[in-house]
């Protein structure tokens, strides 16, 4: 089987890093959506409606979440949404299972669900899950992998990172996560899957490392924008052009994008 040159190069380099235990996975909402969970727009659809807004018209979803907190005077409503959406049972996808079977010891995610650790358990691997600052100074005995859930976990939804004010103070409130992620981005090759690169916390870390010229090569999978039946061709062309610009911009951070069709 023959691949495009950039894919051939990815396979060669990634397999080499796997053999040297220098690989980390960053799982975004797209991976969980593939297993049946909602993504951020769907999670906030009812929240937007309560505010008299339409989620499909909003770009800054972190501010949208903040508006809801401002209106209610607390984040309890958002925490309840997380509990409702992510307490339902879902099976890890084929992607989760493949990643869990590979010799990878470091997994990062902004997702609240337990799909990564469930997949590792199915692969008979012991996962050391860290979703709070207090867990960063301890290690689970005989662990095979570490799963960093930098925005929290559904089991403690009240502590999850949800709205803009939390993102703004994250570098102080979750400094240990910032430090650990910065170190991994310097020492390991990351593969980003299902990630939109709109997260302010990751952007903060990547920007600092970029300024320090401390970025090593990373990769991400991104679905190619194509015209499908029923879609407006001009809108898809616009999205495709924006994707081209986004792919080019990610190169600033040493991230090479591999466009896939599905």
């Amino acid at each position: 089987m023959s691949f495009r040159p950039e894919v051939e190069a990815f396979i060669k380099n990634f397999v080499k890093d796997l053999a040297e235990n220098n690989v980390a996975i960053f799982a975004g909402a797209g991976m969980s959506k593939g297993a049946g969970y909602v993504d951020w727009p769907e999670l906030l659809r009812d929240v937007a409606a309560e505010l008299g807004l339409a989620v499909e018209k909003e770009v800054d979803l972190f501010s949208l979440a903040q508006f809801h907190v401002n209106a209610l005077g607390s984040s309890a409503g958002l925490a309840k949404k997380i509990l409702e959406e992510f307490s339902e049972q879902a099976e890890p996808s084929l992607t989760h299972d493949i990643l869990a079977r590979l010799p990878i010891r470091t997994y990062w995610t902004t997702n609240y669900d337990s799909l990564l650790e469930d997949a590792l358990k199915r692969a008979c691997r012991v996962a050391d899950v860290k979703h709070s600052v207090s867990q960063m100074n301890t290690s689970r005995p005989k662990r095979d992998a570490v799963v960093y859930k930098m925005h929290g976990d559904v089991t403690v939804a009240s502590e999850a990172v949800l709205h803009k004010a939390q993102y703004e103070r994250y570098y102080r409130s979750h400094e240990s996560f910032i430090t650990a992620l910065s170190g991994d981005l310097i020492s390991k090759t990351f593969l980003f899957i299902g990630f939109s690169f709109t997260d302010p916390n990751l952007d903060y870390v990547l920007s600092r490392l970029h300024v320090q010229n401390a970025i090593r090569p990373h990769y991400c999978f991104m679905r190619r924008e194509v015209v499908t039946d029923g879609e407006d061709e001009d809108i898809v062309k616009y999205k495709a052009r924006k994707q081209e610009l986004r792919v080019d911009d990610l190169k600033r951070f040493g991230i090479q994008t591999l466009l896939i069709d599905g």
Side-chain angles (χ1 to χ4, degrees):
M1 182 182 293
S2 60
F3 297 99
R4 301 191 307 274
E6 66 272 20
V7 177
E8 291 277 8
F10 160 71
I11 294 173
K12 179 181 178 180
N13 295 331
F14 197 73
V15 168
K16 180 176 180 291
D17 287 328
L18 271 176
E20 297 174 355
N21 294 316
N22 281 336
V23 164
I25 297 297
F26 203 117
M31 268 185 64
S32 293
K33 186 175 183 180
Y37 284 127
V38 297
D39 56 12
W40 256 80
E42 284 301 317
L43 181 67
L44 297 180
R45 182 172 298 280
D46 292 341
V47 168
E50 289 178 29
L51 297 170
L53 301 174
V55 72
E56 59 270 12
K57 295 181 180 180
E58 298 299 318
V59 177
D60 187 353
L61 298 181
F62 308 109
S63 290
L64 176 62
Q66 184 65 52
F67 297 157
H68 191 263
V69 173
N70 296 344
L72 270 65
S74 79
S75 60
L78 291 175
K80 183 180 178 182
K81 285 293 296 180
I82 289 178
L83 278 173
E84 290 173 351
E85 297 294 345
F86 296 105
S87 291
E88 297 180 8
Q89 293 297 314
E91 290 293 314
S93 65
L94 178 60
T95 303
H96 288 92
D97 287 336
I98 291 173
L99 293 175
R101 293 197 300 265
L102 289 174
I104 300 172
R105 297 183 58 85
T106 305
Y107 300 81
W108 283 86
T109 186
T110 50
N111 301 334
Y112 309 113
D113 59 71
S114 63
L115 292 175
L116 277 173
E117 49 266 48
D118 291 345
L120 287 164
K121 185 176 181 180
R122 290 188 353 175
C124 299
R125 300 179 67 193
V126 177
D128 185 2
V129 181
K130 300 184 184 300
H131 56 72
S132 66
V133 173
S134 62
Q135 296 170 322
M136 296 297 283
N137 294 326
T138 60
S139 296
R140 182 175 178 177
K142 299 181 181 179
R143 69 184 187 185
D144 297 305
V146 183
V147 179
Y148 295 98
K149 307 180 77 168
M150 60 187 294
H151 287 170
D153 186 271
V154 63
T155 59
V156 279
S158 60
E159 299 177 9
V161 177
L162 296 161
H163 51 86
K164 194 170 185 178
Q166 291 174 308
Y167 282 90
E168 290 170 344
R169 59 176 180 264
Y170 188 90
Y171 74 98
R172 292 196 305 270
S173 63
H174 291 69
E175 183 179 1
S176 54
F177 278 91
I178 293 290
T179 300
L181 179 57
S182 299
D184 281 346
L185 283 165
I186 291 172
S187 63
K188 302 178 187 299
T189 297
F190 270 70
L191 174 58
F192 295 86
I193 304 178
F195 199 75
S196 62
F197 292 98
T198 58
D199 184 84
N201 295 328
L202 180 63
D203 192 54
Y204 172 82
V205 173
L206 289 173
S207 298
R208 290 182 65 195
L209 295 179
H210 174 64
V211 170
Q212 299 169 15
N213 198 27
I215 294 289
R216 67 179 283 148
H218 303 298
Y219 301 92
C220 79
F221 292 152
M222 191 177 294
R223 185 175 181 178
R224 189 190 308 274
E225 293 285 355
V226 295
V227 178
T228 58
D229 292 340
E231 284 192 289
D232 186 288
E233 187 172 347
D234 289 336
I235 292 177
V236 176
K237 285 181 178 179
Y238 181 87
K239 289 181 178 179
R241 177 55 182 155
K242 191 171 182 179
Q243 184 177 68
E244 290 176 9
L245 296 170
R246 186 58 176 154
V247 166
D248 188 58
D249 187 57
L250 287 175
K251 294 176 183 177
R252 290 191 299 130
F253 305 120
I255 301 174
Q256 179 183 336
T257 302
L258 301 170
L259 295 174
I260 58 177
D261 296 324

